[in-house]
Amino acid sequence: MKKTRLNAVHKEAGARMVEFAGFEMPIEYKGIIDEHLAVRTKAGLFDVSHMGEIIVEGPEALACLQYLTPNDVAKLSSGKIQYTALTTSQGTFVDDLLIYCLSVPDKYLLVVNAANIDKDFAWVKEKATPFRVEVFNRSDEHSQLALQGPLAREILQPLTDIDLSQMKPFTFAFGQVASIECLVSRTGYTGEDGFEIYTLAENPEIIWKAIMAEGEPKGLLPVGLGARDTLRLEAKLMLYGNDISDKTTVLEADLKWIVKFQKGDFIGKAALEKQEQEGLRRKLIGFEVIDKGIARPHYPVFIKGEQVSEISSGTFAPYLKKAIGLTYLPVEHTEIGTEFEIGVRDRKLKARVVPTPFYKREKK
Amino acid sequence: MYPANLYYTKDHEWLKVEGEEAVVGITDFAQQQLGDIIYAELPPAGKDLEAHQVLGSLESVKSVSDIYCPVSGEVLGVNSELSQAPDLINKDPYGQGWLVRLKLKDKAELDALMKAADYEKYLEGLEH
């Protein structure tokens, strides 16, 4: 099992550790609910060093990424970030990812899911063959911390020379955090304002400890993967392997906003155009459980007694205080308010299609 | 952590004998493993349960677990506080977080349960 460079820090903090995507990771410290609420109301600090970092570099890096992803990479100037996907020829997901533009048009950083690092690296390398680029897997060298929540900026600013007030969402800058060289981006996976901090340094625990020392008096908590999952689900952020996969297309996942047909050819374009013309047969929807109980991944979904799908994500939402989830439904049943049933062991729970995201922070 | 006056099961329930009756809950180890508990599904009063039969289930943010009846008996009542405050099971598993009260059917069944020292040894075995 791999360990991040912060492994000892988590154990010191009393985290319960589990295996996730080949890494020994903290699932919770104080408890999922407390950690979740800290991120919604104050701030939380996550070790997400398991995430993958792939560099695409060379004179045709932009052209290569335009071909590998459905979003328009040409929109990115240096310092900007884009949410997108690696798509198959069927328009399904190899992975979802963030592209960081380091230099136009020749250097980009791809931040990918931990479970997909090897697959993505092999995929990008293979598909990049016709282009004058080199592809590097830099996942093991990078540590990544995420500081998320309404107090994130206030906690981070005293520790860095970057002017965070000038940093817009989905942009990044290089600078120091706790005197260590870092890349800091205004991104996250929680639905809150916040920052992700990447470093190649051997001692990221210095950053971790400096942020905790600064933030703890203000209510900052360390947060594990348990609350990371409940936070991202409230904000309806996709989890590869649950909500999206090589079996679901980008359009079915309701991510049409990352598909730019007019930009030129890309892998999966023909399939997605065809699907758009013919109309979707199923679509990812958000639901609330009406009856008492929690829907969890893989529980069967029924409409008029017939099983139509299974739950892709489902949990108790600690901030909203109800059971929520995501599932694919036949499009004729995706209207807001539509009721259906979820098989929970020996019972069937009523659920209802609701607008998403379930949680949206108030913008100041 | 594991009071000496209680009996314990391999499924991490505890049982406290009070005359012909017994109170059942889950151990500190069990509540830690489950994490924050959201719902407790408990049996109706009057229900006859056999030893090892499913008594109810506890749902936490992360998972759902069945609770088994340590011994045979009739359900006399359940902890009604839990419907409003299921986190009592996390905060005070041996006290305010109790689950059900049983009328014992056969006290001889208690011999099959573990004492605190045996349970602690059993937990050590699980951790390796």
Side-chain angles (χ1 to χ4, degrees):
Chain A
M1 209 169 4
K2 285 188 180 178
K3 287 178 181 171
T4 74
R5 291 182 178 83
L6 294 164
N7 188 276
V9 174
H10 304 315
K11 288 181 176 165
E12 235 171 76
R16 202 148 70 79
M17 306 295 285
V18 295
E19 195 265 332
F20 179 81
F23 287 83
E24 188 184 43
M25 297 298 288
I27 182 101
E28 60 177 76
Y29 303 77
K30 198 177 167 197
I32 293 175
I33 294 178
D34 285 343
E35 293 166 29
H36 183 114
L37 297 179
V39 173
R40 288 273 178 262
T41 60
K42 296 187 171 78
L45 183 61
F46 306 70
D47 175 16
V48 284
S49 301
H50 59 312
M51 299 291 286
E53 289 85 8
I54 293 169
I55 301 271
V56 179
E57 189 172 10
E60 292 185 326
L62 172 59
C64 173
L65 291 173
Q66 284 290 51
Y67 179 63
L68 264 64
T69 65
N71 210 338
D72 189 359
V73 190
K75 288 261 163 69
L76 293 179
S77 53
S78 176
K80 296 224 160 97
I81 303 165
Q82 183 176 76
Y83 177 69
T84 186
L86 291 168
T87 34
T88 69
S89 58
Q90 290 85 48
T92 63
F93 292 86
V94 178
D95 203 356
D96 66 340
L97 71 157
L98 291 177
I99 295 182
Y100 285 60
C101 179
L102 298 165
S103 162
V104 184
D106 56 342
K107 195 171 183 187
Y108 296 84
L109 164 69
L110 280 49
V111 179
V112 305
N113 284 299
N116 293 337
I117 294 171
D118 294 341
K119 179 184 78 168
D120 291 356
F121 180 55
W123 175 271
V124 173
K125 233 176 130 80
E126 188 207 318
K127 301 296 170 191
T129 329
F131 299 92
R132 283 183 296 148
V133 295
E134 285 188 281
V135 183
F136 305 99
N137 181 0
R138 294 276 186 256
S139 304
D140 287 347
E141 292 99 299
H142 280 88
S143 296
Q144 188 189 343
L145 283 65
L147 175 61
Q148 302 276 297
L151 299 185
R153 195 180 103 192
E154 182 185 324
I155 292 166
L156 190 58
Q157 188 62 81
L159 301 170
T160 181
D161 55 354
I162 302 170
D163 182 357
L164 301 175
S165 68
Q166 297 304 308
M167 188 184 282
K168 295 195 174 117
F170 283 82
T171 67
F172 68 91
F174 290 95
Q176 292 192 338
V177 177
S179 305
I180 290 175
E181 296 301 327
C182 293
L183 181 162
V184 177
S185 62
R186 197 148 199 171
T187 49
Y189 192 53
T190 60
E192 292 304 324
D193 186 20
F195 301 88
E196 291 178 303
I197 302 160
Y198 300 77
T199 183
L200 293 165
E202 292 290 329
N203 43 7
E205 71 272 12
I206 292 176
I207 303 174
W208 177 280
K209 286 179 175 166
I211 294 175
M212 284 310 303
E214 185 70 31
E216 245 174 343
K218 300 186 166 98
L220 172 73
L221 290 183
V223 183
L225 293 182
R228 182 167 159 86
D229 188 49
T230 53
L231 286 158
R232 70 91 196 165
L233 186 53
E234 277 186 349
K236 202 209 178 193
L237 296 167
M238 300 288 107
L239 175 59
Y240 188 91
N242 283 40
D243 313 310
I244 55 176
S245 71
D246 58 4
K247 303 283 189 294
T248 62
T249 75
V250 181
L251 297 177
E252 289 169 339
D254 209 12
L255 290 173
K256 197 187 160 192
W257 67 273
I258 68 166
V259 181
K260 305 289 157 63
F261 287 124
Q262 68 280 13
K263 75 161 182 170
D265 194 27
F266 62 88
I267 300 172
K269 185 185 181 189
L272 290 170
E273 272 180 335
K274 183 162 178 275
Q275 189 172 45
E276 174 150 275
Q277 279 155 20
E278 289 175 355
L280 294 177
R281 266 185 256 164
R282 58 173 191 164
K283 202 171 78 175
L284 189 67
I285 57 91
F287 65 83
E288 264 175 38
V289 181
I290 301 168
D291 293 328
K292 197 170 179 175
I294 298 172
R296 299 186 188 277
H298 306 301
Y299 285 5
V301 173
F302 301 90
I303 289 179
K304 296 184 183 109
E306 208 166 303
Q307 191 182 340
V308 293
S309 67
E310 54 178 49
I311 301 299
S312 47
S313 287
T315 190
F316 176 79
Y319 186 77
L320 303 171
K321 297 198 168 48
K322 50 194 169 193
I324 59 169
L326 299 172
T327 186
Y328 285 88
L329 288 183
V331 277
E332 62 272 25
H333 298 291
T334 54
E335 208 168 304
I336 304 296
T338 306
E339 291 192 3
F340 60 94
E341 289 184 314
I342 300 165
V344 177
R345 309 207 290 173
D346 52 344
R347 293 179 302 151
K348 279 190 182 166
L349 301 181
K350 252 197 229 158
R352 179 195 301 130
V353 180
V354 298
T356 53
F358 306 97
Y359 166 82
K360 201 166 175 35
R361 83 187 140 98
E362 286 173 35
K363 296 249 165 73
K364 277 180 233 158
Chain B
M1 287 279 259
Y2 302 101
N5 60 332
L6 305 181
Y7 290 94
Y8 298 87
T9 72
K10 287 186 174 175
D11 304 311
H12 311 287
E13 294 92 9
W14 57 261
L15 179 141
K16 182 182 178 190
V17 177
E18 293 178 349
E20 299 305 309
E21 299 177 9
V23 179
V24 177
I26 64 167
T27 67
D28 187 56
F29 175 82
Q31 71 79 16
Q32 275 184 40
Q33 292 295 311
L34 272 167
D36 294 325
I37 293 165
I38 308 299
Y39 299 127
E41 203 173 301
L42 299 173
K47 185 168 180 174
D48 278 314
L49 291 168
E50 299 291 318
H52 312 301
Q53 199 180 334
V54 173
L55 171 154
S57 63
L58 296 179
E59 189 129 27
S60 69
V61 178
K62 278 265 70 123
S63 65
V64 55
S65 291
D66 282 330
I67 307 302
Y68 299 92
C69 202
V71 294
S72 309
E74 183 195 338
V75 178
L76 294 174
V78 303
N79 184 350
S80 59
E81 301 286 311
L82 297 179
S83 60
Q84 287 308 309
D87 58 333
L88 287 174
I89 302 168
N90 294 113
K91 286 181 184 151
D92 189 11
Y94 304 114
Q96 292 181 77
W98 66 278
L99 301 178
V100 302
R101 177 173 282 276
L102 294 173
K103 183 165 176 59
L104 293 172
K105 194 172 165 192
D106 179 5
K107 276 192 157 180
E109 286 179 357
L110 297 173
D111 297 341
L113 302 178
M114 287 180 273
K115 296 288 184 59
D118 300 326
Y119 180 64
E120 276 186 66
K121 250 181 233 154
Y122 170 69
L123 287 183
E124 275 169 34
L126 289 184
E127 275 158 25
H128 294 297

